[in-house]
Amino acid sequence: MSNTTTGLLAAALLLSSPLASAESKYPAADFEPQVITRDADLISKHDQAAKEREAAEQAKQAKRSQVVASSAVSKSSEAEADSTPASAAEPVVTTEGGSSMDNFPVALVVFALAGLVFWSTKRPKGQEVRYSAAPVASTGTVGGETGVAKYLKELEASARKAAGTGVARYLKNLEANAAPKAPETGVAKYIKSNKL
């Protein structure tokens, strides 16, 4: 049954192949190229619009700077008028735009120091603080060694011990127990004599 189905399918494909020619319907069959030129009027309109936008932006910037300058002058004149104190004993304190967040780092440091003092003085009486750290040799003494110097000495000592163990020791034993050399072969003699 599968052979007959395959045969019928192949016959249908062969009979429909002349109908599959799509040259007349293919969109590229009747393609005609077109030349597109640059439109000078459109380009000049875009350039003019860009220049107008730039001029408008510059005008806005100029207005902003004038407003800021005039407000600064008016604030300074108001501050001068208000800065005359009623009596010489009273200092005038002015805050211009200052926020509470300006002093935040200073306040944080003050609280940290207060906490440090509080916790360092709150030790139980009668108990000494014991540290489990190893004593450190001072560098100012003549005979004392630092921790780094001791570590380097120990590192050198372990390197010396490692040199005589493992693979190095095996290789030394291998060389010492090497069997006498076998007599040279003809090829080796030939190479030595001709020195290739």
Side-chain angles (χ1 to χ4, degrees):
M1 183 168 168
S2 65
N3 288 336
T4 57
T5 308
T6 307
L8 288 175
L9 184 61
L13 288 174
L14 287 173
L15 291 174
S16 66
S17 64
L19 301 174
S21 63
E23 290 181 14
S24 62
K25 295 181 182 178
Y26 187 66
D30 57 347
F31 177 72
E32 294 178 18
Q34 296 177 358
V35 177
I36 300 174
T37 59
R38 295 176 63 180
D39 190 4
D41 293 335
L42 183 62
I43 292 172
S44 65
K45 286 180 185 177
H46 282 284
D47 289 342
Q48 183 65 24
K51 288 178 184 178
E52 289 174 0
R53 282 193 301 264
E54 186 177 320
E57 189 65 31
Q58 288 177 354
K60 286 181 184 177
Q61 289 291 338
K63 280 187 177 181
R64 287 181 191 151
S65 63
Q66 288 175 353
V67 168
V68 169
S70 65
S71 66
V73 168
S74 66
K75 282 185 180 179
S76 66
S77 63
E78 288 176 6
E80 288 175 2
D82 292 340
S83 67
T84 55
S87 68
E90 293 182 33
V92 177
V93 178
T94 59
T95 58
E96 294 183 19
S99 67
S100 63
M101 293 302 289
D102 290 342
N103 296 328
F104 182 71
V106 175
L108 189 63
V109 170
V110 169
F111 284 126
L113 290 175
L116 179 68
V117 170
F118 176 75
W119 288 107
S120 65
T121 58
K122 195 176 178 182
R123 288 190 194 138
K125 292 183 180 179
Q127 292 182 359
E128 295 181 12
V129 177
R130 296 181 184 173
Y131 297 102
S132 62
V136 178
S138 65
T139 58
T141 60
V142 177
E145 292 182 345
T146 62
V148 174
K150 290 178 182 178
Y151 172 76
L152 290 175
K153 282 186 178 179
E154 289 176 9
L155 188 65
E156 288 176 9
S158 65
R160 282 188 221 123
K161 288 179 184 177
T165 60
V167 175
R169 200 169 53 197
Y170 172 76
L171 291 175
K172 285 180 183 178
N173 289 338
L174 186 66
E175 290 175 1
N177 297 334
K181 292 185 178 179
E184 292 183 351
T185 61
V187 175
K189 289 178 184 178
Y190 176 78
I191 291 174
K192 277 187 179 178
S193 66
N194 291 327
K195 294 185 181 180
L196 295 176

